[in-house]
Each structure stands twice: as C-alpha cells, then as structure tokens.
Amino acid sequence: MKEHIKDNLMNFFIIVTLVNIVIFACGMILMPEQQLTYTAFLVPIIDGLLGIIPGLVMYSKRELTVRQMLIREVIQLLSIEAIILFFTFGFSGSLNIKYLLVVATSVAVVYVMVNVIRYFLDIRSAKKLTDELKAFQSTHGS
C-alpha cells in the first residue's frame, strides 16, 4: 500500500507538470491575448488531485493479467475524463464543443504521457536494481 501511495504521488507531480505545459500550449494557440490570474496556478494542482483519484480507488493487491490491466487503464482514463470534464464544465447551459474537445484531448494526452514517463522511470529503476543485484552476486560469489 505504501508503494501505491508513492506511485500516485509521483503521478500527481507528473500530471501537474504536464497540465502546466498543456495550459501554456493551448493558451498560446487558442487564446494568446488572454491574461491569467493567480487563481490559474491552482488549476494544475486541482487537475493533478482529480487525476489521481481513480488510481487511488482502483488499487488492487493481486497481480492482474494483461487483459485486466488494459481494461483497468481504459476505465481509469474514462473516469479521469469524466471527472475533469465535470469539474471544468459542470452543468453549464452553454457548452462550447470546441473547448470540450480540447480539454478531453488534453486529458487523454496527459494520461498517455504520464504512463510513458512512468514506463521509462520504471525501466530505469529496474536497470538500476539489476545492476545492484549483479554487483551483489559478484561480490558474494554466486
């Protein structure tokens, strides 16, 4: 469980960083004249917190098959999409489809990028652990 919380904390910081980049890129493309207020700094933090909720809820101690893992990833992405879109647009009567599509696409891109970054971090950790194990085996004669 401790490792799961650590993983979600790492995901939070990756999400916050990527959301900042997405807000910058989308803002420069869609609304370059728009001025941001200090409250805009809270958006990535809130999105980061909302983005890890499904990961916290869908925790499982047992090993999942590849199929179960893929289904979990799809459910997690759809859950994050629903949460972020609800908190972004709520029940507003006037829904701008263009911005809804931009936000939904951005959420999906951030989700994929978080998984790609985590994959490379996991590879790096596995390599380090393998190297340490080889060094241990060579010094302890096996």
Side-chain angles (χ1 to χ4, degrees):
M1 184 66 167
K2 181 180 172 184
E3 189 69 26
H4 180 66
I5 292 172
K6 181 181 165 187
D7 284 344
N8 277 288
L9 190 60
M10 174 133 12
N11 287 346
F12 168 78
F13 288 112
I14 296 169
I15 291 168
V16 169
T17 302
L18 293 174
V19 168
N20 273 314
I21 293 168
V22 166
I23 289 173
F24 171 77
C26 290
M28 291 301 292
I29 293 167
L30 299 174
M31 293 188 240
E33 71 285 343
Q34 179 76 36
Q35 296 292 317
L36 297 178
T37 63
Y38 288 114
T39 56
F41 289 107
L42 293 176
V43 171
I45 295 168
I46 293 168
D47 284 349
L49 289 171
L50 295 173
I52 64 169
I53 290 172
L56 291 170
V57 172
M58 297 179 79
Y59 174 69
S60 173
K61 288 184 181 181
R62 68 182 182 90
E63 194 70 29
L64 300 175
T65 66
V66 173
R67 179 182 167 97
Q68 290 170 329
M69 186 60 95
L70 288 173
I71 291 170
R72 175 176 283 186
E73 292 292 328
V74 169
I75 292 170
Q76 203 166 343
L77 174 58
L78 294 175
S79 300
I80 293 168
E81 288 279 4
I83 291 168
I84 298 295
L85 291 174
F86 175 76
F87 276 90
T88 302
F89 298 102
F91 293 111
S92 67
S94 59
L95 187 62
N96 187 329
I97 299 299
K98 176 182 171 184
Y99 292 124
L100 180 112
L101 291 174
V102 168
V103 172
T105 303
S106 299
V107 169
V109 167
V110 167
Y111 183 81
V112 169
M113 289 305 299
V114 167
N115 284 304
V116 168
I117 291 168
R118 288 304 309 263
Y119 174 77
F120 285 115
L121 291 174
D122 289 346
I123 286 175
R124 189 179 77 184
S125 295
K127 183 180 178 347
K128 182 181 175 189
L129 191 59
T130 301
D131 292 344
E132 289 173 0
L133 185 57
K134 285 179 183 177
F136 177 80
Q137 287 174 337
S138 68
T139 59
H140 291 82
S142 184

